[in-house]
Amino acid sequence: MSVSTKRLEMDEEAEEAFDLFDVTHKGYIDFEDLRRSCAQLGENLTKEQLQLMLDLAGTNGKVSREEFAELWIHIS
Amino acid sequence: MMSDEDNTYSDDEEWLDLDLGLPNNDIKTAPILNSSLLSSAVHGERLIQERPTHDFGDVEATVDRTVEKRSRLKITSVDRKIRLQIHQLHLLCLTYHLCTRNTWCDDNRLNYLVKYIPPGIRVSLHPSSQKSQMIRNKTFLHGLAGLVEVWKRKYKITTNGLRKPNYGLLQNNSLISESLSLEEFCKNSKLLSGSRDYGTQLFASILRNLNVPTRLVFSLQVLSFRFKGAINEASSHEIVPAWSQQMENDSSSDISESAHITSRFRKRRKIIQPSFSNLSHLDASDIVTEDTKLKVIDSPKPVFWVEAFNKAMQKWVCVDPFGDASVIGKYRRFEPASSDHLNQMTYVFAIEANGYVKDVTRKYCLHYYKILKNRVEIFPFGKAWMNRIFSKIGKPRDFYNDMDAIEDAELLRLEQSEGIPRNIQDLKDHPLFVLERHLKKNQAIKTGKSCGRINTKNGVELVYPRKYVSNGFSAEHWYRKGRIIKPGAQPLKHVKNGDKVLPLYDEEATQLYTPKPVVANIVPKNAYGNIDLYVPSMLPYGAYHCRKRCALAAAKFLEIDYAKAVVGFDFQRKYSKPKLEGVVVSKRYEEAIDLIAEEIDQEEKEAEARNVRKTCLLLWKRLITGLRIRQRVFEEYG
């Protein structure tokens, strides 16, 4: 019971975090989303670093909701 | 018609097979070539854009600064390689040009040109076999002379033909010559006007239609691979715009400014003077472009001419359709003077109606050794490279006949009869002969008799065949080639090196260096604890050279005896640093060290991949945390 409750909370947090990136609700996170996020936060990441992030989490330069949820497990 | 198409297809197939054939032709050279040419073009373009259009002072300053900048450029070995490759490519392109035009000369649409030839000349070109050889020869030559006179009256030269190129002019795009398609080639023949080269090609077509065996001869104007006069290339490129601006501004100035401009013009004349000879025909070329009625400036010697076969003498007779009739049959009258800026004789190819090409340069040049300096055969690979080309476009031995054998014999006789030059300057860099005074510091005449003598101010000097010249190197230099000096060997000569006297040895005084073998799995080492491995023969018996990336780590892991391999030296900023590549161990550990080296390499790659993944996760976490904090701040404080 407690394990399933914690899992549910994680899914909700992952959904909220995904929407922080995907502000246009197109269903995936791409290079432009990462670039805009860096600009908003004042981070100076290079193109190569952003590309590495996309390659790690997603496929073909896009991160779907399922892939992001998988990533969330490793981060939190 | 069908045969022409087949011939064209065959030609295309042959050209696709050719490559440059450089011995060190690596993939890296091609991008260097492209980038270098592109940077050169961009550099030239930028200079043109930066130049102001009104202020003369700035123009002059810019010219001086640019010339000064160019003269300080270093010529690297890559630059030389690029020039050599451009030379080879240009040679192939011009050879293809010759083959293409030769094919077009046989087009049926040019058959009507024979109507301009009077019947008397036609009869002269085919004298009766009943007459004696001397009369037949004279009649044939008279026919050729008459044909030349007729053609000179019919055809008008209105544009420039191919010229000797140089790198400075190419950037100005001034070497514009007519480029024709096959249809234009045939259609323009009705005008009976054009360039001198085009007129010669039509002349060849007429001779072939008169059933006279004819070869089209082309003195290929190839871009040189040498850097002689490199500064002039830059200056000729820069000064032309200034000259044009001066011309334009001069025409529009009023009386009050003319005196001032004249004084500047006199001052600028000194800058222009070194390359004025280049400017003169450039200026003429521009005028010709504007008004074709003005005189065309061509070299006094032709670039294209023909050779007609004289059956009476069984020899080819050279004919310049636009030259003097007295030139017919005189090969030595076709070589341009060394001071001619529009023409150069380096490669002279003759092509028959059947498409076979022959190199007949030796027939037309007076001193082949002077021309040889500008030919690709001066390089070690050049002769083989040329032979590969002519094995594809030359006449096979199976098709040889009497006239080919006679011409080959003549070319060989010319080669053997060329004697020793009579002045010292010509003997310098001569491919066959050498004087002792021209030898380099590490060269000497070892053995052999002199083959002649020459008078100098200091008396008589002996001339030696160049094959008797031996190159000497120091013992250290031979060691870097894997050889040591034999015991008791005599040095070739001694040279001064600072305070020391250094003995130089030739190859006969050396022997292969044999290092000590591996004993009890201990690798022999030098004074620095490494092993010298400049050439593969320096590997000791029983040793193995592991060149894998982690060879050193593997040897340490296995706790075996090893030595780092010194394969050469890097000379940078007055210091020589050894180049290490892998380690040398006993052959007994060959399999073990290869395996461990690969495992260590794999482990390092996996560790690096884990690091990258960890860094990415940290970046994601940082972004997500930042965005969540930003979102909360917005929600609470609007």
Side-chain angles (χ1 to χ4, degrees), chain B residues 157-217:
Chain B
I157 298 177
T158 55
T159 56
N160 296 305
L162 280 177
R163 288 174 165 175
K164 172 183 177 180
N166 62 64
Y167 286 88
L169 293 178
L170 289 180
Q171 297 178 26
N172 287 330
N173 203 21
S174 304
L175 285 176
I176 301 173
S177 62
E178 55 183 7
S179 66
L180 305 167
S181 64
L182 173 56
E183 284 70 30
E184 288 162 348
F185 186 88
C186 297
K187 184 167 59 175
N188 288 2
S189 63
K190 295 176 170 38
L191 305 176
L192 290 179
S193 64
S195 71
R196 184 177 184 176
D197 303 342
Y198 180 51
T200 302
Q201 287 148 27
L202 296 182
F203 186 83
S205 179
I206 292 171
L207 270 173
R208 286 173 179 170
N209 283 318
L210 293 175
N211 292 322
V212 178
T214 303
R215 293 200 299 197
L216 184 62
V217 187

Side-chain angles (χ1 to χ4, degrees), chain A residues 17 20-21 34 37 40-41 43 45 52-53 56-57 68 71-72 74-75, chain B residues 612-617 619-628 630-631:
Chain A
L20 292 178
F21 286 98
L34 288 188
S37 304
Q40 290 172 346
L41 299 175
E43 299 277 358
L45 300 185
L52 270 175
M53 293 167 67
L56 174 70
F68 189 82
L71 175 73
W72 185 263
H74 292 91
I75 292 178
Chain B
V612 169
R613 179 183 171 85
K614 187 176 180 181
T615 304
C616 279
L617 290 178
L619 290 179
W620 273 111
K621 187 163 190 172
R622 199 191 327 167
L623 280 192
I624 293 170
T625 305
L627 288 179
R628 293 177 80 188
R630 183 168 174 275
Q631 180 74 8

Side-chain angles (χ1 to χ4, degrees), chain B residues 444-486:
Chain B
I445 307 287
K446 190 175 182 184
T447 55
K449 293 182 177 179
S450 66
C451 57
R453 60 190 64 222
I454 190 170
N455 290 319
T456 64
K457 294 178 181 177
N458 302 326
V460 175
E461 286 198 26
L462 299 178
V463 180
Y464 295 90
R466 191 166 276 275
K467 62 185 179 183
Y468 290 158
V469 174
S470 296
N471 289 305
F473 300 103
S474 64
E476 186 182 354
H477 197 287
W478 282 116
Y479 184 67
R480 297 249 172 91
K481 295 185 176 181
R483 303 184 75 85
I484 54 173
I485 311 300
K486 289 176 182 174

